Amino acid sequence: MTNNTTLVLGATGKTGRRVAARLRLNGTRVRAASRSSRTRFDWSDPGCWDSALRGVTAVYVVPPPVPGPVHEFVARAEAAGVRRLVLLSGHGADTWGGSAFGLDMRSAEDAVRGSALEWTVLRPSNFDQNFDEDVFHAPLLAGELALPAGAVPEPFVDLEDVADVAATVLAEPGRHAGRTYELTGPRSLTFAEAVELISRASGRPLAYREVSAAEYVAARVEAGWSEGDARHVADMFELMGRGLLAEPADGVSTVLGRPPRTFEEYVVRAAAAGAWRG
């Protein structure tokens, strides 16, 4: 074990738990923090931040869903003696101008870039695992995924690759300073193509249906979402529809020296684990 401690925010979340496990395996001392972890961290409660930052040299930052708090957090990190920040953002965030989507991530990027600390920004595309761990999973279990996604493809990225990149960057001080990595899979797929691959691998008759943004928001609200959350996802699809985020990027191979995992590899793993079992 080294004498350095890495603080992993969102340590019970999709990326945080994967990053923390990799760091521990590699001998890094990890302080896992979330609202439910032994080290408590809540973006809405700045009173718990200083204790989480005490004695930390690097932080994996998963920003909150609102703009603003990361600026104060970065100032606290500087005061606590933190030396490095690795921020999770979103694919092509500097092209999102004029969209209501991603104000939280853009604010967090401004905070990190404006700090005196060594920083690296990771910008992943939509996660493969959104189909089995998150927003697209329940509709698939019901047999149909209805989205306002259009025909513009998405270079879905495997969370295992995102975590591999994050853990590598955190373990290599200096090498990635001031870098922004766009993290995607090796090729782009439409949502209809993605659902077809999931259907074939799982052996279930799954369907994709195109709906309008208004229909999507109404359906999500009827399913129990807040209108704000439903509109946020609809805004993401509107942004994707511009086509500026459709091309694969080379961030995974640049950092890891290997190609990113394919969507098919993800689908086989998830189907074998029973992700879409009816």
Side-chain angles (χ1 to χ4, degrees), residues 18 78 113 116 235 276 278:
R18 289 175 165 92
E78 290 185 17
R113 294 176 190 277
D235 287 340
W276 302 290

Side-chain angles (χ1 to χ4, degrees), residues 184-215:
T184 74
R187 70 184 182 100
S188 300
L189 299 166
T190 66
F191 277 82
E193 290 170 332
V195 171
E196 171 61 20
L197 289 171
I198 292 170
S199 178
R200 285 160 53 187
S202 66
R204 293 192 60 205
L206 305 176
Y208 171 79
R209 179 165 59 92
E210 182 72 21
V211 296
S212 70
E215 289 172 321

Side-chain angles (χ1 to χ4, degrees), residues 20-94:
R22 283 162 170 78
L23 292 174
R24 290 190 185 104
L25 186 65
N26 292 334
T28 299
R29 181 177 289 116
V30 172
R31 182 174 298 159
S34 70
R35 283 178 293 181
S36 60
S37 298
R38 178 178 299 177
T39 297
R40 183 174 173 273
F41 187 90
D42 188 334
W43 281 110
S44 65
D45 180 14
C48 67
W49 298 357
D50 291 337
S51 59
L53 286 165
R54 192 171 297 119
V56 163
T57 56
V59 185
Y60 176 66
V61 183
V62 179
V66 293
V70 179
H71 288 268
E72 182 181 350
F73 176 80
V74 167
R76 300 264 196 105
E78 290 185 17
V82 172
R83 296 196 291 271
R84 295 187 295 127
L85 302 171
V86 175
L87 173 70
L88 184 71
S89 183
H91 181 37
D94 53 348

